[in-house]
Amino acid sequence: MCKPIVKWVGGKRQLLDELISLMPKKYNRYIEPFIGGGALFFELCPENALINDYNKELINLYRVVKNKPMELINDLKKHKNRSEYYYKIRALDRDEKKFEKLTYVERASRFIYLNKTGFNGLYRVNSKNQYNVPFGKYKNPKYCEPDNIMACSKLLQKTEIINGDFEIIKNKIKKGDFVYFDPPYVPLTATASFTGYTDKGFNEDMQFRLKELCDYIDSIGAYFMLSNSYCDFVLELYNVDNYAIHTVKAKRNINCNGNGRGEVKEVIITNY
């Protein structure tokens, strides 16, 4: 049994039942080009999979979990849940030369530590690709979970891990494969926009490119399932005869004001 190694804004753990019920009954390879925290991937534990993300540090983490799990576990044990220590570790990417000297294991360890001790489980970088989430002030964050890291490492032995733009998967998709898309959502309001998971953001043009990739997947006889905001833009973009649009409700917690948290509509779109 595996569970996500990192927290991720917009993660799908609460929607797993709905997602699994809407998946095709049979498929060949499982492909997820916006892996993020990988809630569905780790729940399914697919025998043959491909995962990708644009976030280089996240992909480095998954490669380290796959290839050097014990070294990662040992390095995680050095971290401390203290504010001054957190900001010291966070600041490592302010000095490019110093950051480049970190080993792959040290970078992966830093990624998990900042994710589990930073505010609200956010991953956010500025225009210089520098991590800028404040300290979370959690009493006992679990950033070293050896059993789960080892279980995830076993799963990842059967998984191809790549890093790049989501369209990098296009030439790897075959008839009968299943692709799950969980991209950065279309913002519901100007102030609700959350596209800072990389330094490039995720704009309207990318949403159009994503739709074109979905059309390609459909044209070659493969399957796709896509999560996104319930809004006019998405509903109109995927208003295609053979696409099904399913509505679900999820609780989203990216607002720092607890009173602003609550259920919002989302869509799950499939071509089957």
Side-chain angles (χ1 to χ4, degrees):
M1 296 296 294
C2 300
K3 65 179 183 179
I5 301 165
V6 292
K7 299 186 286 185
W8 212 251
V9 168
K12 293 300 179 289
R13 295 185 74 171
Q14 63 178 295
L15 292 176
L16 286 175
D17 290 343
E18 289 92 335
L19 291 170
I20 292 172
S21 70
L22 291 172
M23 287 176 57
K25 302 305 178 186
K26 293 183 179 180
Y27 55 89
N28 297 327
R29 196 181 200 191
Y30 176 90
I31 300 173
E32 189 167 349
F34 300 94
I35 187 63
L40 182 59
F41 169 75
F42 286 115
E43 180 70 17
L44 295 172
C45 294
E47 288 293 323
N48 179 18
L50 165 67
I51 62 173
N52 171 72
D53 204 277
Y54 184 83
N55 189 316
K56 291 181 180 179
E57 294 305 310
L58 177 64
I59 290 301
N60 174 68
L61 165 62
Y62 287 131
R63 286 172 174 162
V64 168
V65 171
K66 177 178 181 175
N67 299 313
K68 298 183 177 182
M70 284 306 304
E71 291 182 39
L72 175 60
I73 291 167
N74 289 334
D75 199 81
L76 282 167
K77 293 176 181 178
K78 73 184 183 186
H79 294 304
K80 304 164 187 173
N81 184 36
R82 295 205 298 262
S83 176
E84 64 276 14
Y85 178 83
Y86 174 89
Y87 286 109
K88 177 183 176 181
I89 297 301
R90 194 186 79 164
L92 289 174
D93 61 10
R94 271 63 177 172
D95 186 332
E96 189 173 340
K97 290 183 179 179
K98 183 181 292 187
F99 190 73
E100 288 178 351
K101 289 181 181 178
L102 296 178
T103 66
Y104 293 134
V105 171
E106 288 172 333
R107 282 167 49 190
S109 175
R110 172 181 180 269
F111 190 99
I112 294 177
Y113 167 74
L114 293 177
N115 174 267
K116 291 298 183 74
T117 55
F119 177 75
N120 236 10
L122 293 174
Y123 182 88
R124 187 185 64 199
V125 294
N126 60 25
S127 60
K128 296 181 180 179
N129 206 28
Q130 297 169 337
Y131 192 82
N132 63 357
V133 176
F135 185 58
K137 301 179 182 178
Y138 300 113
K139 288 186 177 180
N140 188 30
K142 295 182 179 180
Y143 44 80
C144 184
E145 299 181 281
D147 291 344
N148 188 55
I149 288 174
M150 295 306 298
C152 292
S153 180
K154 185 176 180 181
L155 168 63
L156 290 169
Q157 302 306 311
K158 301 174 284 187
T159 304
E160 181 180 356
I161 306 172
I162 58 177
N163 169 226
D165 180 87
F166 62 88
E167 284 192 277
I168 197 174
I169 69 164
K170 185 173 183 179
N171 294 331
K172 294 178 177 287
I173 306 168
K174 307 297 182 185
K175 181 178 179 179
D177 288 346
F178 170 63
V179 184
Y180 173 53
F181 293 108
D182 185 21
Y185 279 16
V186 174
L188 297 178
T189 68
T191 56
S193 177
F194 184 83
T195 57
Y197 86 122
T198 74
D199 58 322
K200 304 299 182 186
F202 201 86
N203 59 25
E204 189 175 274
D205 177 65
M206 292 181 180
Q207 297 287 351
F208 284 119
R209 286 173 49 215
L210 179 56
K211 164 60 165 51
E212 291 174 355
L213 181 56
C214 288
D215 293 341
Y216 169 78
I217 292 169
D218 186 61
S219 73
I220 65 170
Y223 310 105
F224 78 81
M225 178 168 70
L226 179 144
S227 298
N228 214 319
S229 303
Y230 182 95
C231 63
D232 290 342
F233 178 87
V234 173
L235 296 175
E236 292 171 7
L237 187 60
Y238 290 90
N239 184 19
V240 180
D241 287 343
N242 58 320
Y243 293 176
I245 300 178
H246 313 269
T247 303
V248 295
K249 290 185 178 181
K251 290 183 179 179
R252 292 300 173 206
N253 300 320
I254 63 173
N255 191 332
C256 62
N257 178 0
N259 294 327
R261 304 175 184 182
E263 284 192 337
V264 296
K265 281 185 177 181
E266 299 184 3
V267 295
I268 300 172
I269 300 165
T270 62
N271 69 326
Y272 46 86

